[in-house]
Amino acid sequence: MNTGSNEPGEVAVASDGTGTDEVRSEQEQGLGSRAPEFIKARRALHVSWQVGVFIIGLAVVVAGIIMLPLPGPGWVVIFGGMAIWATEFVWAQLVLRWTKRKVTEAAQRALDPKVRRRNIILTSIGLVIVAVLVGIYVWKFGIVMPWKIKNQ
């Protein structure tokens, strides 16, 4: 993943000056483990802590992946698992930062009046097409409930 820097320890800053407050607040928080100090002080305990966090995060991410085709908030659960991993692992923190930035950009684009107008027009056209197709089906075949089929 490209974090916008080729040097270790460097943080990418927006070139147009927007979002610099957010970058500063993230720099102040720092990257790395958020485990309590007494856990970080003991190597074996810290590694055990990280293994536990990884397993719990993995279970949550797998549950989210299972929910993608099934009913449930799959993406929300996957991002929750990533947030669990981000409490201990720098790579997960960087992925979450990138994801938050992309979601914010998409939300800003979606609020653009031209994009909203286009989306409303396309949705209306789609609904009209579906209504016409359903109307043709009902006119041609009528409404027959599957549990009341006669003469099988």
Side-chain angles (χ1 to χ4, degrees), residues 11-101:
V11 177
V13 178
S15 60
D16 61 352
T18 59
T20 55
D21 293 335
E22 184 178 316
V23 172
R24 283 190 199 114
S25 68
E26 288 176 354
Q27 286 175 346
E28 291 168 5
Q29 289 178 346
L31 296 173
S33 176
R34 289 182 174 74
E37 291 301 322
F38 74 92
I39 290 178
K40 287 195 271 188
R42 294 164 184 83
R43 176 84 175 135
L45 190 56
H46 191 230
V47 170
S48 300
W49 178 273
Q50 285 182 326
V51 168
V53 167
F54 182 80
I55 290 171
I56 291 169
L58 182 64
V60 172
V61 167
V62 168
I65 291 171
I66 290 170
M67 286 184 203
L68 287 175
L70 299 175
W75 285 111
V76 173
V77 174
I78 289 172
F79 291 130
M82 289 297 297
I84 291 171
W85 279 339
T87 63
E88 282 302 309
F89 303 108
V90 173
W91 61 267
Q93 293 169 0
L94 295 174
V95 168
L96 277 180
R97 284 183 186 178
W98 179 83
T99 304
K100 286 178 187 177
R101 189 173 61 246

